[in-house]
Amino acid sequence: MFIRETRTKNPQTGTVYKKHQLVESYRTNEGPRQRIVMELGSLELDKPDLKRLGALLSRRISGNDNSLLFEDGKELAKLADDLFRNFQFMEKSKEEKQKRISLAQYKKIDINSLTTSFNRSLGPELVGYEFFSRIGLDAILDTLFITDRQKAIIKAQVIARLINPGSELSTLRWLENNSSLPELASLGPIKKNEFYEIGDLLVEKKQEIESKLNREQKKLYGERKLLLFDLTNTYLEGNSKLNELAAYGHSKEKRKDCLLVSLALLVDENGIPIYSEILKGNQSEPLTLEVIMEKISSKDDSLFGNIVPTLVMDRGIATKANIELIESRGFCYVVIERGDGNKSYRDEFIKNKDSFEVIKDDDDKKVFAKLIDTDKGLKVLTFSRAKAYKEASIDRQRIKRFLLEFNKIAHRVESSILRDNSKVNIAIGKLISKYPSVAKYYEISTTLEPVKSKVISLTIKEKESLKERSDLYGCYVILTNHKDLDARGIWDVYMTLTKVENAFKSLKSDLGIRPIHHQKTDRVIAHLFVSVLAYHLLAAIEFELGKKGDRRKWSTIKELLLTHQRSTLIFTDDKENVHHIRISSSLEPEHRSIYEVLGIKDKLKRIHKIIGTL
């Protein structure tokens, strides 16, 4: 093959145009002939480079891309790649056109009869369906000795929780009226009791499913080096008399009026869940770790292989007893030191903060650290500007509200509305219990009448401890038994804890774990476990997006894909036959780019039926 240059002249303007073509010579009975292989447009290259480009294109077409290399030929090779890609695209377009023409079926139709029906969302369902299989859940369900019907319902329930979280009743309505998921899963109508029965089955198989998921995900994501552990709770609607886990406790959502149930979650450095445990609503945070350590240490010996994992926790769980427990199990740890760890290094933070190493250089979000070697392990004295601004802002708001309510009480006293000493003390007690984190920094005094012991005034005084607190805004101490990490490395490990925090945010905002309407223990566990399984899908999807440089959240992707739909096209032909054609809508550019990143294909076929004659 070689590149041929042709010139044409515009007879009116006299302008000469040139173009280049890749040409192939071949023999015939009438002698040698030439045929055009590729149109190249107009190229500004000298003859030697045209010859080289022709050789490069010949080898790409023959499938031997690496047989011709030049020390200075990178730009020429890139040009050959661009031209060859364009050639492939044009050839594919021609093939598709020929295929479309060969399969074309023509009908005369009444365009006034043309309409659509049974419009259902398809895009998010395609992604959820693909990742259900990709992370191994499909294969795991095949090992549980359940029926195809049960497997399809589990798949529908988990993917529905990923896309449209809600109660069992709302999920059934969504599957029936809004989603193409039943079509994807070859699933007919579902009865509400089937959902409840599947929930009971999931509770029974929970440990087995999580254990097998761990093994599958280790194949996908490699060994787990970091274990990020935290605990949250969510509230229950109703009296929950039949729920053994329901209890009053400290609600993360400020729902003091509702019974709670707790969810402990262990995830890896990629945010992929490893283990979950559903516990009582008043479960003490520190005591949950022993339950989790027992489960992951004894039930699945293959979980970590030869890796010594590092457990990362917040200060609420990092008690002295828990640190000793972690070490006794042979794990490493990175935690925030409890108690007054930062006060112990007050002088270092106040006087020597400027000498700390900058481990994050980001203007107002700068982080400074100093590594200290102690008998208990390494400590990292850490100061974060962003954390300092945040703590100062929170304190200002709390103090403002606290003083505002105090002034109201003081005004009532001065106005003689509230004078009784016992009632004044009750009002002050309520104020202190409402703002305990602020009240401890103030001293409130009452002045009484000499004779009747009535309160005539209230005074408030700021304690020195408030100044001491403000001096340590943004300061904290990280403790670890690692000996092979520097200050930046230890801080980086601790900051991965945001992965489990993000998991809880997703569970609550995207996957519908709150509120819970179930009244029985097993049904509550099933509801939460379905959400955890849906989070496995969400985490895998966002991990795959992140690998390709796409930092969007699942909620954004889902919103964009909702416009990719499955519809039934209905029309009448010239013979009065009524046609129903079930088709997927054409991909818009945004749909196409997401599917390419995630490796998604629409497996649903076009279905054409003549359902009758008018």
Side-chain angles (χ1 to χ4, degrees):
M1 296 183 194
F2 63 94
I3 294 177
R4 180 175 65 192
E5 181 181 298
T6 61
R7 294 175 181 265
T8 57
K9 185 177 180 180
N10 188 318
Q12 295 180 346
T13 63
T15 305
V16 177
Y17 299 95
K18 65 177 181 179
K19 67 176 181 178
H20 294 87
Q21 301 164 324
L22 184 66
V23 177
E24 180 183 41
S25 296
Y26 65 99
R27 293 182 179 278
T28 68
N29 294 333
E30 289 79 23
R33 295 288 187 272
Q34 292 179 351
R35 59 176 165 232
I36 298 170
V37 177
M38 193 186 302
E39 294 285 353
L40 305 177
S42 178
L43 301 173
E44 297 298 331
L45 297 174
D46 55 25
K47 287 185 178 181
D49 281 344
L50 283 174
K51 186 176 181 180
R52 289 173 178 168
L53 180 60
L56 283 170
L57 289 171
S58 299
R59 283 161 174 77
R60 277 158 174 71
I61 291 172
S62 65
N64 187 8
D65 294 354
N66 300 318
S67 58
L68 189 62
L69 300 172
F70 308 103
E71 291 183 3
D72 58 347
K74 291 184 179 178
E75 292 185 7
L76 205 60
K78 184 179 182 303
L79 176 59
D81 288 337
D82 292 341
L83 291 169
F84 184 63
R85 274 195 294 269
N86 184 61
F87 168 72
Q88 287 180 310
F89 175 77
M90 296 303 294
E91 290 297 301
K92 185 178 180 181
S93 298
K94 289 178 186 176
E95 290 176 9
E96 289 176 350
K97 183 178 180 180
Q98 290 300 322
K99 183 178 179 180
R100 188 172 67 251
I101 292 172
S102 66
L103 296 175
Q105 298 180 29
Y106 296 100
K107 294 282 184 185
K108 288 184 178 181
I109 70 168
D110 176 9
I111 60 173
N112 292 321
S113 71
L114 192 62
T115 186
T116 63
S117 185
F118 301 104
N119 303 303
R120 302 289 185 266
S121 70
L122 175 62
E125 286 86 342
L126 286 176
V127 176
Y129 198 82
E130 169 64 26
F131 275 84
F132 193 94
S133 174
R134 197 176 294 181
I135 68 171
L137 268 173
D138 240 340
I140 289 169
L141 294 183
D142 287 336
T143 68
L144 298 183
F145 304 106
I146 61 177
T147 67
D148 289 342
R149 173 75 176 171
Q150 289 172 322
K151 178 181 174 181
I153 294 174
I154 291 173
K155 187 180 292 189
Q157 195 169 15
V158 173
I159 297 173
R161 189 67 57 86
L162 174 71
I163 300 170
N164 189 68
S167 66
E168 277 73 11
L169 191 58
S170 67
T171 298
L172 285 170
R173 290 197 198 103
W174 178 77
L175 287 170
E176 182 178 354
N177 301 318
N178 302 92
S179 176
S180 61
L181 192 54
E183 192 175 352
L184 269 171
S186 301
L187 184 65
I190 309 172
K191 296 178 181 178
K192 187 170 70 171
N193 285 342
E194 287 185 290
F195 259 17
Y196 290 134
E197 290 165 5
I198 284 299
D200 295 339
L201 177 64
L202 284 172
V203 171
E204 179 187 339
K205 304 288 186 179
K206 176 181 180 295
Q207 187 172 307
E208 186 178 354
I209 291 171
E210 284 194 318
S211 178
K212 290 180 176 180
L213 256 178
N214 273 320
R215 286 194 284 272
E216 290 298 319
Q217 290 177 337
K218 192 161 71 169
K219 297 174 188 175
L220 291 172
Y221 309 111
E223 299 286 356
R224 272 72 183 274
K225 297 178 182 178
L226 297 181
L227 309 179
L228 317 174
F229 177 65
D230 207 350
L231 185 77
T232 192
N233 55 43
T234 188
Y235 60 94
L236 304 161
E237 295 285 5
N239 57 37
S240 299
K241 290 181 179 179
L242 301 177
N243 186 354
E244 298 170 359
L245 300 176
Y248 287 105
H250 176 69
S251 172
K252 304 279 186 179
E253 296 145 334
K254 314 298 183 186
R255 291 300 303 264
K256 297 178 181 179
D257 58 321
C258 294
L259 291 160
L260 308 174
V261 63
S262 297
L263 172 64
L265 194 63
L266 194 69
V267 307
D268 66 15
E269 58 266 43
N270 296 315
I272 308 298
I274 296 174
Y275 185 79
S276 66
E277 185 75 15
I278 292 93
L279 304 160
K280 284 189 175 182
N282 61 354
Q283 179 71 41
S284 168
E285 285 192 351
L287 295 180
T288 58
L289 183 65
E290 187 172 358
V291 176
I292 299 297
M293 292 294 290
E294 183 65 30
K295 297 282 186 182
I296 65 176
S297 297
S298 61
K299 300 298 183 185
D300 190 357
D301 295 332
S302 64
L303 181 57
F304 308 112
N306 297 321
I307 299 292
V308 177
T310 298
L311 195 59
V312 187
M313 304 175 298
D314 213 341
R315 75 173 78 222
I317 307 169
T319 62
K320 181 180 178 182
N322 277 343
I323 290 174
E324 290 174 354
L325 173 66
I326 294 168
E327 290 183 317
S328 71
R329 298 282 185 175
F331 287 52
C332 295
Y333 61 85
V334 174
V335 299
I336 290 286
E337 191 170 23
R338 285 167 65 92
D340 296 332
N342 53 351
K343 292 182 180 179
S344 303
Y345 295 96
R346 179 183 176 83
D347 288 343
E348 282 288 337
F349 280 122
I350 294 175
K351 298 177 182 178
N352 301 323
K353 193 161 44 184
D354 293 339
S355 66
F356 285 17
E357 173 192 358
V358 177
I359 58 174
K360 182 181 180 183
D361 193 358
D362 187 9
D363 297 330
D364 290 341
K365 295 182 180 180
K366 272 188 177 179
V367 179
F368 305 82
K370 180 178 180 179
L371 188 66
I372 297 177
D373 198 348
T374 72
D375 294 339
K376 296 180 180 179
L378 295 178
K379 291 187 178 183
V380 180
L381 311 187
T382 312
F383 169 71
S384 165
R385 280 185 181 171
K387 185 176 174 66
Y389 295 150
K390 182 179 179 181
E391 290 178 353
S393 176
I394 291 172
D395 271 7
R396 279 196 300 270
Q397 290 297 321
R398 287 175 176 171
I399 289 171
K400 181 180 178 181
R401 288 194 287 265
F402 173 76
L403 293 178
L404 183 64
E405 293 202 25
F406 169 79
N407 289 333
K408 289 180 179 178
I409 298 172
H411 178 72
R412 291 171 65 201
V413 171
E414 291 170 3
S415 303
S416 299
I417 298 172
L418 181 66
R419 300 288 301 276
D420 186 89
N421 191 22
S422 62
K423 291 182 178 179
V424 170
N425 287 333
I426 290 172
I428 293 172
K430 287 181 178 179
L431 176 65
I432 291 172
S433 64
K434 187 175 181 180
Y435 299 97
S437 61
V438 173
K440 62 184 178 182
Y441 298 117
Y442 289 88
E443 183 178 326
I444 298 175
S445 306
T446 58
T447 302
L448 303 176
E449 286 183 345
V451 180
K452 296 183 179 180
S453 296
K454 298 290 184 180
V455 179
I456 56 176
S457 66
L458 290 177
T459 56
I460 189 167
K461 182 181 178 182
E462 184 182 300
K463 296 180 182 178
E464 182 64 27
S465 56
L466 182 59
K467 172 67 169 59
E468 293 174 357
R469 170 171 170 73
S470 63
D471 287 339
L472 294 176
Y473 282 150
C475 300
Y476 55 98
V477 179
I478 304 174
L479 179 64
T480 181
N481 59 348
H482 267 290
K483 294 291 185 181
D484 56 339
L485 295 176
D486 58 11
R488 185 189 300 273
I490 294 169
W491 182 81
D492 284 341
V493 169
Y494 178 74
M495 291 307 294
T496 58
L497 197 60
T498 57
K499 297 284 187 179
V500 73
E501 293 168 357
N502 290 337
F504 285 135
K505 287 179 184 176
S506 293
L507 282 162
K508 290 182 177 181
S509 61
D510 298 328
L511 302 174
I513 68 168
R514 63 180 179 183
I516 300 174
H517 298 277
H518 298 289
Q519 302 299 303
K520 295 181 179 179
T521 304
D522 282 354
R523 298 287 159 81
V524 170
I525 294 173
H527 178 87
L528 290 172
F529 186 47
V530 167
S531 290
V532 170
L533 290 176
Y535 182 70
H536 275 272
L537 300 181
L538 184 151
I541 293 165
E542 292 187 349
F543 178 79
E544 191 65 30
L545 288 167
K547 274 186 4 183
K548 306 293 175 58
D550 191 331
R551 302 298 174 188
R552 287 177 293 183
K553 296 294 184 183
W554 164 245
S555 55
T556 303
I557 298 295
K558 179 179 70 173
E559 192 72 25
L560 291 168
L561 291 179
L562 282 171
T563 51
H564 185 210
Q565 299 201 334
R566 185 84 170 164
S567 302
T568 298
L569 186 66
I570 303 173
F571 62 86
T572 305
D573 65 19
D574 59 338
K575 296 180 181 178
E576 297 295 304
N577 294 317
V578 179
H579 296 255
H580 279 199
I581 303 179
R582 187 74 176 155
I583 55 172
S584 303
S585 63
S586 298
L587 295 181
E588 298 172 14
E590 196 65 67
H591 304 153
R592 193 182 303 279
S593 67
I594 293 170
Y595 291 156
E596 286 176 356
V597 169
L598 295 176
I600 304 295
K601 291 184 178 179
D602 182 2
K603 298 177 182 177
L604 291 176
K605 304 297 183 184
R606 176 189 296 254
I607 303 171
H608 182 194
K609 293 180 180 178
I610 298 176
I611 65 160
T613 304
L614 293 178

